[in-house]
Amino acid sequence: MSSAAPQPISDAPQPEEVPWWLKYAGRGMGTFGGVVAMALGLWTCISFSPICIVAGIWQILAGFMVVLAEAPCCCMFLDFVQTFTNFIDRRPVWHKAAFYILISLPAMFLCAGLSTFLGSAMLFATGVVYGLMALGKKASRGEMLNRAQTDFLATNLVKNMEVPIPNQSVP
């Protein structure tokens, strides 16, 4: 049996499509945001409201999952970390963005407080950074002008075109 590394999914962006600083911003924001979310989730758990305790536990788990995906070196003592990180890294960037945004929302909806808002906002911001990566590079000025002129001409030609209306006589 061959031990070849799994191939990345085809619509994952190529490394040259995403600026280097945006990659590091995503990793840094994910690591910092995950740690902050875990700390604020622990703070939220110190409550008398059972729903806020659940929200705090959710936020701790969400922060832990983001730290596992973004900084596996922080949790090298766990056996499954490398498998989980490889799985996450093979996914397209927009999957990662959607995942981070979705796991950030439940804690905020369960217990509306400052600590859940700030912790979830950090995870949400990480998802936004990955969403920006998924959009890709901006087109050059020439390409944008060409596209704008083409769209302008196409809409004006269609709008000003006279289309004959068939004679609709009532019998």
Side-chain angles (χ1 to χ4, degrees), residues 4 9 25 33 40 44 50 70 85 91 94 120 126 138 140 154 164 166 168:
I9 295 180
L40 291 174
T44 303
E70 298 301 327
T85 303
R91 310 303 309 163
W94 70 269
S120 294
T126 303
K138 183 178 167 182
S140 70
Q168 297 179 357

Side-chain angles (χ1 to χ4, degrees), residues 114-129:
L114 184 61
S115 59
T116 55
F117 176 76
L118 291 177
S120 294
M122 296 297 285
L123 300 179
F124 193 88
T126 303
V128 169
V129 169

